[in-house]
Amino acid sequence: MIKLTINGKAHQLDVAPDTPLLWALRDTLQMTGTKYGCGQALCGACTVHVDGEPVRACSTPVSAVVGRKIRTIEAVDSERVGKVVQEAWRKLDVVQCGYCQSGQIMSAVALLSQNRKPTDADIDNAMSGNLCRCATYVRVRAAIHEAAKALA
Amino acid sequence: MSEIIIENLSRRRFLQGSAGLTLGFCLPAVAAGKLNRVATVNAEINAFLKIGADNSVTVMSKHLEMGQGTYTGLATILADELDADWAQVRIEGAAADAKRYNNTFWGPAQGTGGSTAMANSWDQMRKAGASGRAMLVSAAARRWNVGAAEIVVRDGILSHAGSGRKASFGELALDAAKETVPTEVKLKDPKDFRLIGKQAKRKDSAAKTNGTAQFTQDVFLPGMLVAVVAHPPQFGATVKSFDATKAKAIKGVVDVVQIPQGVAVLATDTWSAKKGRDALSVVWDDSKAFKLGSDEILAQYKEMAKKPGLIAANKGDTAKTFAGAAKVVRASFDFPYLAHAAMEPMNCVVQLKADGCDVWNGEQFQTVDQGRVAALFGLKPEQVKLNMLYAGGSFGRRACTQSDYVLEAAHIVKAINGKAPVKLVWLREDDMRGGYYRPLFHHALEAALDGSGKLVGWHHRLVGQSIITGSPFEAMLVKDGIDHVSVEGASNLPYAIPNLLVDLHTPTNIGVPVLWWRSVGSSHTAYSTEVFLDQVAAAMGKDPVALRLELLTEHPKHAGVLKLAAEKANWGTPLKAAAGERRGRGVAVHESFNSFVAQVAEVTVKKDGSIKVDRVICAVDCGTAINPDNIRSQVEGAVGFALSAALHGEITLKEGRVEQGNFDSYAPIRIDEMPVVEVHIVASTGAPTGIGEPGVPPLAPAVANAIAAATGKFLHKMPFNTAELVA
Ligand code: FES
Ligand code: FES
């Protein structure tokens, strides 16, 4: 049994310790907001927070996150930065297919939690691990600036 | 949540021209007793519209939402004619039913593609909304005993000034469903539109920003197994034998079965299925496999290009023109295979039941997939229920002419005798190596200038596999051996050149499955025609915009977007470059899917040859702009999608094996490579035309022409070889 704390709730999971956090979330807990895109830490679709840091869940075994605070898209609006980012995303209609967007939002929230006034270069840095095949990048950037304004 | 539908019995013939319909009204017996339970009571007004007692307006989308904004667009059209309040509108993906939901441009088939969703639905959705509005009005008139003409509808409320009475759609829904479906409805004057042309917000933004949007990948059914498949390493190879001992020893693995597509490992979850698949040992029979590499394919195409092909367009006398030309400009262009690489890899859920089969899919090609699954199980098509989900991108991939991944899922269910529902999951590598690529193409062009320096002849020869041959669209799109989508964008060159010849070779010995890829033929023809035209302009000493305008006198829409883009980009003014950098502006214009797009790209080329596209100014004419913000969004996305192909996109084969597998070797652009994008929309009251794809074709040639402006070097291969640009 693996014990994980996800979105403030304790869970006991009957999975092998090498199981990636992504599949534990998706298949075991059926928390499907976190997406599979590549399985190789190349696309960012699976981004979650571990102790506030953005982490690629596809390449993080559950054994590595025992006892740490895991936060997923399902609870992104449970604190202010997350809520503001989500609102900015909706205001600008950032999404297209939406499949990458949980990951985009989790990365953006992590960025804005540490840096309230990111420059374009900061955004490039923090967000370049998140692929969007629909190429919503123009609006991802604009929404981060928009959220920064709302947080100021 | 359960739903009780009040059926409108005439709906099946809705908008099919039958006169004098009367409506039945029936509450299913089982449902009737449950009315006091928590359930939505929906009155079905017609095939596209349900109105709930809770005052919700549900628009049924016959098209797939794969990011292009179709759900929002269709609902905008219907809701405007209905005079609904945008806040009360919801959208539901319709199940497969070609009788009610066919793509009106595709005859009897239901499906999404060719950027037709708005165009083919425009009249239909307007009439559906107007008809619903008329039925609500009749119901109110009857209830209030007033004249229908005195009733005003606005933002989801019907009111009668004389009596002061008011009612919401929800209050009138059940009565409205009993009204006769009008045979003729009056549509709004465009000046009265309240949603169309305004900024109706996307309806899927909320669900796609909190993790609740349902994709195929997110489907879980009781007892469902996840299947991961070992596919052959070359197209056309088959299973000779396999040993599943190790795979079966892995915890969670339930079964291993052979299917025509390979060997499927079924497990209780994805990770176990993947581990099982990795533990399989399979011996492949490659006796019928395709074993050539990309280099050999290209070499063959170049050889073929030396001889005349089948004629796709012929005007004037090119042979004579070239023989007598004062100057001939020549260039050839190479285009690689391209994977769609939608963010959600292909997947599909299939469940066999006693009386039919349920499929869950981001379904793009309903009628074709339904027919094929039905045939496999020996069912009637209507026994195959396709449940519509969001697709995490497609770019054409989910409309597979051969129903590849859908059939693969069905084959697995068949192999286990339907004992469990199955979710087929392709891992990224399966998706990237699974074929159905944009075909590799070779183009050879020549242009003839006469003694006065005028462009008088144009010859364009193309070599590449046919997408349509062998597909359900063959009868419609292949004429006299010419696959229309191989030459689209080339055979209809808009420029006034008196002598024009376009010919095509379609190799048939290449065993790589090919498919439409966002903008189809225009994904390569726009590049070769527009870059070559700039090369010709350079040879003539003419400005690229001025030359195009001279040649576009008979094509005012091309000219219109071209002028607009050039003006907004300050064409002709100098661009500042930092020391050691070269900068340039380039232009391209192209028509696809009846829409016209011009783009001006501003590009910086560094000393080491690396490229940064700084800004792209786009002008778009796609008829009535149903949702201007979504048009901007689609064009922004198209710029990024096309730039990925220009800078990095390439699927290569070696001895028949695909060399790329994941996003490290097949790299879409990331945020740091995304240019600033400006989109200008031409005001129009024409019928709406496509917008999902038309932003793609002009981008790569505009960038290449900008690079040429900066460096003097025209690039003849995609993706770009930046080594050619080292200063
Ligand atoms: S799925 Fe984890 S980074 Fe792509
Ligand atoms: S919105 Fe489709 S991949 Fe990003």
Side-chain angles (χ1 to χ4, degrees), chain B residues 409-632:
Chain B
H411 270 291
I412 297 168
V413 170
K414 196 174 174 203
I416 60 164
N417 298 313
K419 73 176 183 220
V422 170
K423 172 157 69 181
L424 166 69
V425 172
W426 277 10
L427 300 174
R428 175 56 58 196
E429 291 78 6
D430 300 304
D431 189 271
M432 200 155 294
R433 296 183 178 138
Y436 293 99
Y437 305 125
R438 195 287 303 274
L440 183 152
F441 259 84
H442 175 72
H443 295 206
L445 287 100
E446 46 188 357
L449 307 183
D450 69 9
S452 63
K454 208 167 154 264
L455 174 57
V456 287
W458 181 277
H459 175 206
H460 190 166
R461 181 168 292 160
L462 305 93
V463 188
Q465 287 168 268
S466 167
I467 293 168
I468 303 294
T469 305
S471 84
F473 288 92
E474 185 166 343
M476 200 164 129
L477 291 170
V478 182
K479 296 261 149 64
D480 302 325
I482 303 276
D483 178 341
H484 169 74
V485 308
S486 293
V487 294
E488 62 183 352
S491 59
N492 56 337
L493 192 78
Y495 300 118
I497 303 168
N499 304 284
L500 173 120
L501 176 67
V502 178
D503 60 340
L504 172 72
H505 288 283
T506 305
T508 53
N509 65 328
I510 308 296
V512 181
V514 292
L515 190 61
W516 29 57
W517 181 98
R518 195 175 186 178
S519 81
V520 200
S522 291
S523 70
H524 48 96
T525 58
Y527 189 81
S528 58
T529 54
E530 287 295 282
V531 172
F532 188 59
L533 188 68
D534 261 40
Q535 223 175 313
V536 172
M540 295 166 84
K542 289 224 172 190
D543 173 78
V545 171
L547 175 63
R548 281 176 177 80
L549 288 174
E550 267 174 41
L551 297 172
L552 284 171
T553 44
E554 280 159 43
H555 290 275
K557 290 198 174 179
H558 286 82
V561 290
L562 180 60
K563 275 190 226 156
L564 181 59
E567 175 203 317
K568 297 288 181 186
N570 294 319
W571 184 264
T573 61
L575 274 175
K576 278 203 193 79
E581 292 182 350
R582 295 156 287 170
R583 295 193 77 211
R585 234 185 236 116
V587 70
V589 59
H590 193 77
E591 174 194 358
S592 58
F593 311 98
N594 302 315
S595 290
F596 303 81
V597 181
Q599 294 175 349
V600 174
E602 295 171 0
V603 176
T604 301
V605 185
K606 305 235 170 73
K607 261 201 158 72
D608 64 358
S610 64
I611 303 158
K612 175 81 174 75
V613 181
D614 303 308
R615 193 163 78 116
V616 180
I617 294 94
C618 312
V620 181
D621 183 344
C622 58
T624 295
I626 295 166
N627 188 331
D629 191 51
N630 190 58
I631 291 169
R632 283 191 284 275

Side-chain angles (χ1 to χ4, degrees), chain A residues 83-104:
Chain A
K83 212 173 165 45
V84 167
V85 168
Q86 205 176 44
E87 277 161 12
W89 244 250
R90 291 173 185 175
K91 182 173 170 196
L92 301 188
D93 273 347
V94 172
V95 305
Q96 290 189 28
C97 83
Y99 197 79
C100 73
Q101 297 292 345
S102 298
Q104 302 280 356

